[in-house]
Amino acid sequence: MLDDASSPTPQAVTVAGSTAAHRLQPLLHDLVSTVLAPTVALSGGDGQIRPAGVQGVFHADSRALSQATLTIDGREPEAVGHAPQGPGATRFVTLARWLGDPVPDPTVRIERFRQVVPGGMEERVEIVSSATVPVTAVVSLEVGCDFAPIEVVKSGGDTAEAAPERTAPGEISWRSGGVRVAVTGTGARAEATEPTEVTGSAESTGYGRTGFLRWPVELAPRGRVTLSWRVEVRDPQAVVTAPDRPAEWAVGEGEPRVVTTDHRLGRLFEQSMDDLRSLRLAETAAPGDAFLGAGVPWFLTLFGRDSIWAARMLLPLGTELAMGTLRVLARRQGTKIDPGSGEAPGKIMHELRRHDFAVEGNNLYLPAAYYGTIDATPLWIGLLHDAWRWGAPAGEIAALLPHLEAALGWLGGPADPDGDGFVEYVDTSGRGLANQGWKDSGDALRFHDGRRAQPPIALVEVQGYAHQAARQGADLLEAFGLPGAARWREHAAALAERFRARFWVDGPRGRFPALALDRDKRPVDALTSNIGHLLGTGLLTAAEEARIADLLVSPEMAGGFGLRTMSADAGGFSPLSYHCGSIWAHDTAIVVAGLARAGFATHAATLAEGLLAAGETFGYRLPELYGGDDRAALGRPVPYPAACRPQAWSAAAAVTVVHAALGLYPDVPGGRLLLRPLAGAPLGAVSVRGLRVAGAEVSAAVDRGGEVVVTGLPAGISTERAST
């Protein structure tokens, strides 16, 4: 998800030998994120928030603090380590080696315990001395605020420090429009600098003003002192807020826990649950309906596709998040034709911002409520169906059936503008997203020889989503006594026939579905991960699924740490391309789930093991994406430098892998739970508590022999072992 400010392109940088300058998106991979949505702090590994790149404290798409640097007697402490401490919390450890005893070992240590809360951040600074002599110093915190919109930061646009509104005892504050930011230090003296011109830096923007909090500190031998400060943001313009209740899976003794013979899966699950709790959001006007913000920092808001996929992947933990996500998107379902926003009757939106999203130096212009997505609508139908199967309350499902009928109406009408029977897109505004599937960068869709495909585009996975949505929509209509089920089953059958005739192509390893059809209805013949999303949609025969399964674990596709977005032998392949050779955790997990349900246990385990290996190298916080280099190249994945982290569907990937290992597939309306664990338990023994079926807390375990045991099912649900 790139918003087509595609390449990691924030500072103005002059290219050698050129008179032109281009802006570079700030790098993220080495920053530390501390988040409790809708607020996030991004800093260096030492805890310092420096006035550069994307560092800062952000709240609801706007930067509240652009600087928070700590010094002791004018010198910055030296970093030695940091670690997450749960949702919204990080601890940083630094040293002041110039203080204390003149011995090789450090004797003055500084720990910053950072806690982000919705609308602010609190920090406790502990200075601990093991020296034999007293230590006297002045601790200073320099703070700045620029109110920079997230899209300006993302594109490398110019920003300028705002002047403090006022300085009161222990407090420095700023105001812009209706937004107010205040920094307060307990027991500190507050000062503001005078405006001075900033020179000698490529990042300079002219003038700036910062403020200081200062604390004189005296430590006795082997003494300690604790300082504290906080930032508070009052933002009545924010369109997102924190939900008004905790996550369904995070309440009481039912909080999910995983015990495995592969410690990597357990640790990945634990960190992912913390990250998922920290990414929960709600609309300001409806705090009771939670959804997941897509990712930190660029996409910490409602994204149709991303929020739907993440909620779908988390259904084993309960249906509350799914129902909240469905309701939020239903309230903003399209009602009219608007080429500028991409809105159409029945269509599910792509993203929600506090204002229009315009990128400096780029033709991209997205309205605050933007509908430029081809897949969110069928995916919304799929989430509604799956939530029903997992036991969401029938009344809540019934309340959304008018929106289901509207979404099906879009699927059978505006989704196919030229009437050829395939779902396709084109940006008629000329200023929206050129590509509108999940691979939405401008260069994502390429033929095998590397040529770019031209719109209108009919994506391969979207035909699978549409086929599945038509069938699942029919099931819902029939179950709730509404007309139209036969029509949508016929629609699905006709789509499958057309797909088989038009999409399959020949490649070096045999036949496979093309990535897309281009504007001339030619198959875009690159081998990509997109075809893995067809598994389980009903669009393929068993033999076709087996063919695709083998291709997905070929060395060209699975030679890295997970599933490559594009085959390594394709002309457009690049391991650090956003969508043409990189590896996305959610993409790999979706394919793992499809392989597992179709009975391809070894294939699923091959891709899942890649995710576990990657998770270990990233501290068990999987980023949005990473490089698709061969495993032998470095022995660890190469970070994608501008990847979001944490990111909702990447964190949800851990739940998907656990679910695939267990193989629990409920049909609560039908009164059964199908058991299809990975044959042979290739991921080892897995035991999970805190799953939920129809609201009941359920435990499940699969042993090394692949036998699964489920306890806690609600009355009326029987288990059934799937045939192999």
Side-chain angles (χ1 to χ4, degrees), residues 48-117:
Q48 301 282 49
I49 296 174
R50 296 181 173 84
V54 69
Q55 296 191 43
V57 176
F58 292 82
H59 177 77
D61 272 356
S62 178
R63 184 156 58 189
L65 277 191
S66 52
Q67 182 176 1
T69 52
L70 187 79
T71 59
I72 299 180
D73 288 343
R75 300 173 64 172
E76 291 193 27
E78 299 167 298
V80 291
H82 62 86
Q85 303 283 288
T90 307
R91 185 184 293 272
F92 302 88
V93 180
T94 60
L95 304 174
R97 293 190 296 159
W98 62 91
L99 296 177
D101 294 339
V103 295
D105 292 337
T107 57
V108 178
R109 166 179 169 136
I110 302 97
E111 294 196 13
R112 297 173 73 167
F113 181 79
R114 176 169 295 161
Q115 179 71 62
V116 169
V117 296

Side-chain angles (χ1 to χ4, degrees), residues 8 63 74 144 150 299 318 351 399 536 571 656 694 708:
R63 184 156 58 189
I150 191 70
F299 309 117
E351 67 179 280
T656 295
V708 62

Side-chain angles (χ1 to χ4, degrees), residues 681-705:
L683 297 178
V686 180
S687 175
V688 187
R689 80 173 195 198
L691 303 174
R692 283 171 175 79
V693 176
E697 292 181 10
V698 172
S699 296
V702 59
D703 62 22
R704 288 182 178 273

Side-chain angles (χ1 to χ4, degrees), residues 245-614:
R245 62 178 67 96
E248 178 182 15
W249 67 78
V251 177
E253 296 299 318
E255 188 166 355
R257 290 286 183 268
V258 172
V259 178
T260 69
T261 52
D262 187 335
H263 76 279
R264 298 174 302 174
L265 181 54
R267 294 188 65 183
L268 181 65
F269 186 90
E270 182 179 7
Q271 180 60 51
S272 294
M273 294 311 300
D274 282 349
D275 289 338
L276 291 163
R277 287 170 64 182
S278 72
L279 292 171
R280 293 174 68 249
L281 281 169
E283 288 185 291
T284 303
D289 285 333
F291 59 88
L292 288 177
V296 172
W298 316 128
F299 309 117
L300 196 56
T301 185
L302 175 66
F303 269 79
R305 175 194 311 118
D306 302 61
S307 298
I308 290 169
W309 262 125
R312 200 172 187 180
M313 296 162 82
L314 294 185
L315 279 170
L317 306 183
T319 61
E320 185 180 87
L321 179 71
M323 297 310 298
T325 303
L326 288 163
R327 285 191 290 265
V328 168
L329 291 168
R331 285 194 290 268
R332 294 181 177 273
Q333 190 172 27
T335 58
K336 63 182 184 295
I337 297 291
D338 182 355
S341 68
E343 184 179 354
K347 193 176 186 183
I348 298 299
M349 71 181 303
H350 176 57
E351 67 179 280
L352 177 67
R353 299 286 186 176
R354 66 190 295 143
H355 51 230
D356 294 354
F357 193 97
V359 177
E360 183 181 353
N362 189 304
N363 190 46
L364 185 70
Y365 175 85
L366 308 182
Y370 180 59
Y371 289 78
T373 169
I374 196 62
D375 52 11
T377 308
L379 289 172
W380 186 94
I381 295 171
L383 178 60
L384 181 66
H385 171 273
D386 289 358
W388 173 58
R389 293 280 187 169
W390 277 91
E396 294 186 25
I397 298 292
L400 291 171
L401 293 178
H403 299 280
L404 167 67
E405 293 179 302
L408 287 169
W410 175 85
L411 194 64
D416 179 16
D418 63 3
D420 68 344
F422 294 113
V423 177
E424 58 204 344
Y425 63 83
V426 62
D427 171 42
T428 57
S429 76
R431 300 188 68 187
L433 294 177
N435 285 318
Q436 297 186 359
W438 84 261
K439 293 180 178 178
D440 59 1
S441 54
D443 63 350
L445 304 182
R446 295 173 177 265
F447 289 86
H448 178 74
D449 62 10
R451 290 176 295 124
R452 294 191 189 185
Q454 298 301 314
I457 296 290
L459 284 169
V460 62
E461 77 274 18
V462 173
Q463 312 317 310
Y465 300 159
H467 180 271
Q468 186 176 51
R471 294 176 61 181
Q472 293 178 334
D475 289 346
L476 284 163
L477 293 174
E478 188 172 73
F480 284 84
L482 296 174
R487 172 199 171 187
W488 290 109
R489 291 195 178 104
E490 291 169 3
H491 179 95
L495 175 57
E497 186 175 343
R498 285 190 298 270
F499 180 87
R500 192 160 288 110
R502 301 294 303 276
F503 266 82
W504 283 80
V505 297
D506 290 312
R509 288 182 172 269
R511 288 182 62 74
F512 65 94
L515 167 60
L517 301 182
D518 74 353
R519 66 183 176 191
D520 298 317
K521 307 304 178 182
R522 294 175 300 181
V524 181
D525 59 348
L527 175 60
T528 65
S529 64
N530 300 57
I531 64 174
H533 292 226
L534 299 177
L535 297 167
T537 63
L539 194 60
L540 305 173
T541 66
E544 289 167 344
E545 287 194 327
R547 175 78 193 120
I548 287 176
D550 288 342
L551 286 170
L552 292 172
V553 296
S554 65
E556 293 82 4
M557 293 298 294
F561 292 84
L563 180 64
R564 289 183 175 119
T565 44
M566 178 176 284
S567 172
D569 65 3
F573 173 79
S574 171
L576 281 179
S577 168
Y578 199 63
H579 289 128
C580 298
S582 59
I583 293 171
W584 288 63
H586 90 282
D587 186 33
T588 302
I590 289 169
V591 175
V592 166
L595 290 167
R597 185 156 195 171
F600 298 102
T602 302
H603 300 67
T606 296
L607 296 180
E609 198 284 327
L611 285 182
L612 297 180

Side-chain angles (χ1 to χ4, degrees), residues 11-24 202:
Q11 294 85 10
V13 176
T14 303
V15 180
S18 171
T19 58
H22 67 280
R23 299 189 182 279
L24 297 174

